[in-house]
Amino acid sequence: MSSVYRFPLQLRFGDVDSYGHVNNVRFLQFLEDARVHWLREPLRVPAAGASTMTGLVTEENFTLVGRHEIEYVAPLMYRREPVAVDLWVTRVGGSSFDLGYTVREPDGPDLYAYCSTSMVLVSRSSGRPVRLPAALRAEFDEFAGPPVPFRRRPPLPAAVAAKGEGA
């Protein structure tokens, strides 16, 4: 992996649900917090007229989330010490890019979730996807990494799937 962006995440008491652990919905906010901070970090690859990745996107364009996927590995309990959200780029397409994340202990092996987000660069005026700028692609190369190691469930047998049983 070229480079991982690490975002220290301070949990808040309000992140905890009635079961005593961080609620699953809060993880989407954690991903957004890490992604927004990452996009505003100084560029590693020099680019004319821009100092951050958000500066590489024109005012005519913006990014939209196309998809999220989260696999919860272990419950995350409230505590005062921050956890880490590690972020890297797993795929770059014509107008889209995918990010991989882990929510984990900053200095240990404990892992709470694997996550991914698909983002699309879109024109404000047309609402249609637009090509990612070359400078943005170059910056993404600095954070390129492997696919997220989700554990995939085997497909259901066709007869069971047709009946809707066994889900």
Side-chain angles (χ1 to χ4, degrees):
M1 190 176 310
S2 296
S3 185
V4 171
Y5 175 73
R6 175 161 281 180
F7 177 69
L9 178 72
Q10 184 63 56
L11 299 176
R12 298 180 316 205
F13 182 75
D15 296 332
V16 178
D17 63 17
S18 62
Y19 296 118
H21 66 277
V22 174
N23 188 275
N24 68 83
V25 180
R26 298 298 301 145
F27 279 75
L28 288 173
Q29 184 68 54
F30 299 165
L31 304 182
E32 180 182 54
D33 289 347
R35 186 173 62 249
V36 167
H37 280 267
W38 173 65
L39 290 169
R40 292 183 176 157
E41 282 288 311
L43 291 174
R44 293 184 182 200
V45 178
S51 60
T52 67
M53 280 187 265
T54 54
L56 297 173
V57 177
T58 68
E59 291 183 16
E60 167 61 20
N61 304 324
F62 63 103
T63 56
L64 292 176
V65 171
R67 174 187 172 94
H68 284 301
E69 187 171 355
I70 302 175
E71 179 181 326
Y72 302 96
V73 178
L76 175 56
M77 309 307 279
Y78 174 77
R79 82 285 186 77
R80 292 183 180 182
E81 303 78 26
V83 294
V85 179
D86 288 348
L87 174 153
W88 65 96
V89 177
T90 61
R91 186 193 68 80
V92 178
S95 61
S96 65
F97 59 97
D98 294 348
L99 302 173
Y101 314 80
T102 56
V103 179
R104 64 181 319 114
E105 285 299 321
D107 298 318
D110 292 344
L111 179 71
Y112 303 104
Y114 288 115
C115 315
S116 68
T117 300
S118 296
M119 303 291 297
V120 182
L121 186 62
V122 175
S123 164
R124 289 184 191 275
S125 59
S126 71
R128 306 287 305 161
V130 296
R131 190 140 188 90
L132 294 169
L136 192 57
R137 291 170 176 281
E139 189 68 17
F140 288 164
D141 285 346
E142 293 294 307
F143 293 93
V148 179
F150 290 118
R151 294 175 293 183
R152 299 291 180 194
R153 296 166 99 184
L156 293 172
V160 174
K163 292 181 184 179
E165 299 172 11

